[in-house]
């Protein structure tokens, strides 16, 4: 089954348009220099984020968890005229690398990186957001959701990454991160202010649309 799945994944990637040169360089830089390179949205998920952004044509995107800026740049690709991406991260070293790659793109003036703990920064980031991408520390997913939902415009979206946690959400005995992600999935499903769709793509993306 896995073999079939892998060949189909390869087929899906082969029939997906390529990323920009800067994104390819960034991915290669990440694999060469970072042990935890799997944190980076890969090629395929990056193309999905870009496509979603093009579909939404957001004026304001909020990202929680920049890492090296790969997903940040993908999300910027579909911005409306005059739109911007604000991305939060606590790590100064990776933030520096992210900024250096963002500076090489046409989106440099439309992406703002902010350094610090997202929990404390979020109350100071003005809405309304058309699209929020939650991808930082897993135990705070529910806190992030609760801090941003009021500032998402009606009809706006919140996408959360890694919600299948390599399949560990199915385990009987869940560690803290797994439990937090499972609770996040349950919370959004039962929140009648939103409609949710769990996409089993890569590590799982929970897509939520705020109702009007
Ligand atoms: N979105 C990126 C990957 C993010 S990896 C991509 O798809 O390419 C997760 C990031 O969350 C790490 O860079 C880590 O520094 C950041 N992070 C962890 N805890 C945080 C916190 N409390 N506040 C802000 N960022 C945090
Ligand atoms: Ca992720």
């Amino acid at each position: 089954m896995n073999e079939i799945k892998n060949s189909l994944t390869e087929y899906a990637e082969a029939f997906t348009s390529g990323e920009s040169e800067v994104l390819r360089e960034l991915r290669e830089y990440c694999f060469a220099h970072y042990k935890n390179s799997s944190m980076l949205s890969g090629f395929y998920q990056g193309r999905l984020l870009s496509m979603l952004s093009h579909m939404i044509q957001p004026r304001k995107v909020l990202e929680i968890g920049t890492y090296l800026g790969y997903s940040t740049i993908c999300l910027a690709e579909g911005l409306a005229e005059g739109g911007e991406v604000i991305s939060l991260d606590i790590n100064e070293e990776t933030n520096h690398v992210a900024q250096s790659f963002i500076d090489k793109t046409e989106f440099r003036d439309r992406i703002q990186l902010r350094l610090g703990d997202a929990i404390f920064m979020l109350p100071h980031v003005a809405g309304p957001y058309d699209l929020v991408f939650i991808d930082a520390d897993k135990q705070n997913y529910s806190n992030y959701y609760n801090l941003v939902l009021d500032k998402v415009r009606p009809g706006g979206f919140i996408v959360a990454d890694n919600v299948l946690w390599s399949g560990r959400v199915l385990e009987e005995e869940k560690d803290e991160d797994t439990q937090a992600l499972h609770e996040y999935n349950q919370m959004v499903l039962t929140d009648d202010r939103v409609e949710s769709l769990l996409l089993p793509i890569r590590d799982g993306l929970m897509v939520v649309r705020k109702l009007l």
Side-chain angles (χ1 to χ4, degrees), residues 112-128:
Q112 246 191 73
L113 301 186
R114 297 199 193 161
L115 185 64
D117 189 331
I119 285 287
F120 299 111
M121 290 194 286
L122 279 174
H124 308 289
V125 185

Side-chain angles (χ1 to χ4, degrees), residues 39 135 138 161-162 202:
M39 290 210 316
D135 194 18
K138 307 309 164 197
D161 191 25
N162 307 105
R202 206 185 65 143

Side-chain angles (χ1 to χ4, degrees), residues 22-45:
V22 179
L23 285 175
R24 194 181 53 76
E25 255 180 61
L26 174 47
R27 224 159 25 83
E28 285 169 4
Y29 183 89
C30 180
F31 284 102
H33 295 93
Y34 289 87
K35 281 201 297 284
N36 45 5
S37 54
S38 65
M39 290 210 316
L40 182 123
S41 281
F43 161 74
Y44 189 76
Q45 178 161 312

Side-chain angles (χ1 to χ4, degrees), residues 39-41 65-67 71 89-91 116-118 135-137 144:
M39 290 210 316
L40 182 123
S41 281
T66 316
Y67 192 37
S71 51
D89 204 289
I90 202 167
N91 186 316
D117 189 331
D135 194 18
D137 48 324
Y144 295 142

